[in-house]
Amino acid sequence: DAKTTQPNSMESNEEEPVHLPCNHSTISGTDYIHWYRQLPSQGPEYVIHGLTSNVNNRMASLAIAEDRKSSTLILHRATLRDAAVYYCILLYYGQNFVFGPGTRLSVLP
Amino acid sequence: EAGVTQFPSHSVIEKGQTVTLRCDPISGHDNLYWYRRVMGKEIKFLLHFVKESKQDESGMPNNRFLAERTGGTYSTLKVQPAELEDSGVYFCASSQERPGGGNSPLHFGNGTRLTVT
């Protein structure tokens, strides 16, 4: 059901940038790209979303390929608190979220 | 603003018993969703309310599950009778508008961990 492909796991060192990739080769023109993350023992948390242009917010940046078939979530300086499972989800208006397995990010001190 | 709150945070019941989970969405959020993750599986959609109406209940596993949202405020999810395979974490989420664009992300609660023994 999930229309995205993400690596199962990634590692990063603390205070270094992290680039989390997501492939979505079957994306349609009306699909928004959403990123959520789930910290241990918490519910999923909104990170960022975009349609065509790159997006920045206080948590992260989202870089979207020109053909929109892939995107990258960028955490500019990873902290230990960023260790979580990150989900890349395609969504058009009115659709319900479909979660895949996501990428488990480990941050090493 | 207060976030989505769920009660209880943990529940341990025996097979055949009844359990009721409660979700209080963010005030003013018309859209309320229930999701769950059973052990080792991905988070799965259960159902979606718009105010007090069930918009989509295609994810409800069977008729042992009953969700209500009287008055369009808080919601309850009742499992009766509970089976072993119902064990997992049940998440509630709310949003102001339907997600999928715009600026209306889903806000999730921290979930209720249900253990059926």
Side-chain angles (χ1 to χ4, degrees):
Chain A
D1 290 331
K3 299 179 287 186
T4 63
T5 304
Q6 299 177 252
N8 290 333
S9 62
M10 291 184 64
E11 264 187 10
S12 172
N13 293 319
E14 197 176 8
E15 299 192 2
E16 290 186 356
V18 181
H19 291 235
L20 296 163
C22 181
N23 288 321
H24 29 78
S25 58
T26 60
I27 191 170
S28 73
T30 54
D31 282 337
Y32 280 76
I33 302 162
H34 286 248
W35 284 83
Y36 279 71
R37 71 180 185 181
Q38 187 174 16
L39 304 171
S41 301
Q42 294 187 24
E45 173 187 38
Y46 169 78
V47 178
I48 200 166
H49 78 283
L51 183 62
T52 57
S53 303
N54 294 343
V55 184
N56 299 298
N57 66 21
R58 63 176 179 81
M59 290 181 69
S61 296
L62 176 60
I64 302 173
E66 198 168 328
D67 63 5
R68 301 186 71 234
K69 293 186 177 181
S70 66
S71 61
T72 302
L73 178 70
I74 302 167
L75 306 179
H76 295 287
R77 287 183 68 202
T79 68
L80 297 179
R81 193 192 174 278
D82 291 321
V85 178
Y86 286 78
Y87 299 97
C88 169
I89 302 169
L90 299 186
L91 202 66
Y92 58 81
Y93 184 78
Q95 184 189 20
N96 292 311
F97 277 74
V98 176
F99 285 86
T103 296
R104 182 172 297 277
L105 174 67
S106 300
V107 180
L108 306 177
Chain B
E1 67 181 1
V4 176
T5 53
Q6 294 187 243
F7 306 96
S9 57
H10 294 82
S11 180
V12 181
I13 62 172
E14 293 183 353
K15 176 182 172 180
Q17 290 185 323
T18 297
V19 63
T20 300
L21 313 181
R22 173 171 168 144
C23 168
D24 285 72
I26 293 173
S27 178
H29 282 193
D30 289 339
N31 293 276
L32 186 148
Y33 303 78
W34 284 97
Y35 286 81
R36 76 170 180 177
R37 166 184 270 147
V38 295
M39 189 63 67
K41 302 288 187 179
E42 294 157 14
I43 299 172
K44 294 291 188 185
F45 165 81
L46 295 179
L47 89 160
H48 169 213
F49 284 99
V50 177
K51 297 184 180 179
E52 68 275 9
S53 299
K54 291 176 185 175
Q55 190 74 15
D56 181 353
E57 52 184 329
S58 61
M60 295 288 264
N62 51 61
N63 59 10
R64 295 186 292 104
F65 289 75
L66 175 65
E68 294 182 324
R69 192 183 183 194
T70 306
T73 55
Y74 71 91
S75 175
T76 58
L77 179 64
K78 180 189 290 187
V79 186
Q80 179 183 27
E83 298 289 345
L84 298 178
E85 63 264 25
D86 300 332
S87 295
V89 183
Y90 290 76
F91 294 104
C92 176
S94 72
S95 66
Q96 199 161 24
E97 299 174 4
R98 295 292 298 272
N103 292 302
S104 187
L106 281 188
H107 299 265
F108 283 82
N110 286 331
T112 293
R113 181 174 296 278
L114 174 64
T115 302
V116 183
T117 63

